[in-house]
Amino acid sequence: MLQLNYSGFSLETGTDEAGRGCLAGPVTAAAIILPKDFENTILNDSKQLSEKTRALLKPIIEEQSLCFSVTHLFPDEIDEINILNASMKGMQECILKLSQVPEYIIVDGNRALNAKLGLKNTVGKQFSSAEIELLKSIPNTSIVKGDAKFLSIAAASVLAKTYRDEYMDQIHEEFPMYNWKKNKGYPTKEHREAIRKYGTTKYHRMSFRLLPDQLELDFFE
């Protein structure tokens, strides 16, 4: 079983994101605080779990958590502030949405959660000075491969992945030719061939290299 706690604080929050490498759809972040008696021998990095196992874990995680939150950051914001900043901002937004204020935050990766705060973006949530100060006040540690080491980060990764997959399944119905229900917006050969054939949609990230040999692409709503 993964480790339950890193800092020793009771209200330790794990946070992670999903969809960073996709060509379409949001990057989705989640944050969660687990109780001190939480146990689960199956929970792991969402990428190591099957879709069926993730679906089974989702309600367990939600019901047993002290609190959790999920945030989508959409392509227009990703294109404006770049995907790395959007990924971090999504996790920051999740921290602010939690019903309990964390005493400590652990984040998957190698970048501090509050490395950039208060970006001057025109799309999406604008942080108030009070929100920025709150985020700055909470100690945090980034842990490489943290989603395979700590239960709270793994739980956040499962929530981010399942909520994002649900969203991609919904927009698949609007644009079925891209088969997002299967590829979830990732740069598969099938997805890129559909972009080549049909052009782009409002859900595509226009700042990304959508085709290996990028051409002028048609855009439709």
Side-chain angles (χ1 to χ4, degrees):
M1 190 171 76
L2 307 189
Q3 298 177 65
L4 178 60
N5 190 279
Y6 172 84
S7 66
F9 288 100
S10 297
L11 297 182
E12 179 180 273
T13 297
T15 185
D16 200 4
E17 51 74 27
R20 193 161 140 180
C22 295
L23 303 181
V27 61
T28 303
I32 190 166
I33 302 178
L34 297 173
K36 60 184 179 181
D37 60 350
F38 180 84
E39 293 183 357
N40 192 295
T41 57
I42 300 171
L43 182 57
N44 201 343
D45 168 16
S46 63
K47 297 185 291 296
Q48 305 300 320
L49 303 172
S50 67
E51 184 175 358
K52 182 178 179 180
T53 300
R54 291 194 298 266
L56 290 171
L57 283 170
K58 179 174 177 278
I60 295 171
I61 292 167
E62 293 179 344
E63 289 165 13
Q64 295 187 15
S65 71
L66 296 180
C67 59
F68 72 91
S69 63
V70 178
T71 298
H72 296 303
L73 264 72
F74 295 99
D76 51 355
E77 188 166 6
I78 293 169
D79 288 339
E80 181 175 35
I81 65 175
N82 80 47
I83 186 60
L84 178 58
N85 287 331
S87 299
M88 300 306 294
K89 184 171 181 281
M91 290 187 280
Q92 293 162 358
E93 288 190 31
C94 284
I95 297 299
L96 295 172
K97 287 163 62 175
L98 290 171
S99 61
Q100 299 188 54
V101 177
E103 298 173 293
Y104 203 96
I105 301 165
I106 53 175
V107 56
D108 183 52
N110 59 4
R111 190 170 186 252
L113 182 71
N114 58 4
K116 282 192 179 181
L117 291 168
L119 292 169
K120 301 300 182 184
N121 53 310
T122 60
V123 179
K125 177 179 173 57
Q126 309 292 308
F127 289 160
S128 68
S129 57
E131 289 173 328
I132 291 171
E133 288 307 310
L134 175 61
L135 287 167
K136 284 182 177 178
S137 73
I138 306 170
N140 67 88
T141 297
S142 55
I143 301 171
V144 176
K145 299 190 183 301
D147 48 8
K149 296 175 182 176
F150 289 92
L151 287 166
S152 61
I153 302 180
S157 77
V158 169
L159 293 182
K161 175 65 175 166
T162 53
Y163 274 88
R164 186 181 187 281
D165 284 357
E166 289 170 5
Y167 179 86
M168 297 306 295
D169 288 350
Q170 291 172 15
I171 64 173
H172 166 87
E173 302 303 322
E174 189 176 352
F175 294 104
M177 67 281 277
Y178 299 95
N179 204 9
W180 290 329
K181 194 173 185 68
K182 180 181 179 183
N183 63 54
K184 308 305 183 191
Y186 280 92
T188 62
K189 181 179 179 181
E190 175 190 41
H191 188 187
R192 282 193 151 133
E193 285 303 315
I195 293 171
R196 192 185 299 277
K197 182 175 181 180
Y198 299 107
T200 58
T201 70
K202 58 188 177 183
Y203 299 114
H204 281 98
R205 303 175 184 177
M206 301 309 293
S207 58
F208 278 47
R209 190 177 180 85
L210 300 178
L211 294 175
D213 49 340
Q214 192 83 51
L215 306 170
E216 287 295 321
L217 296 172
D218 294 327
F219 176 87
F220 59 90
E221 295 289 338

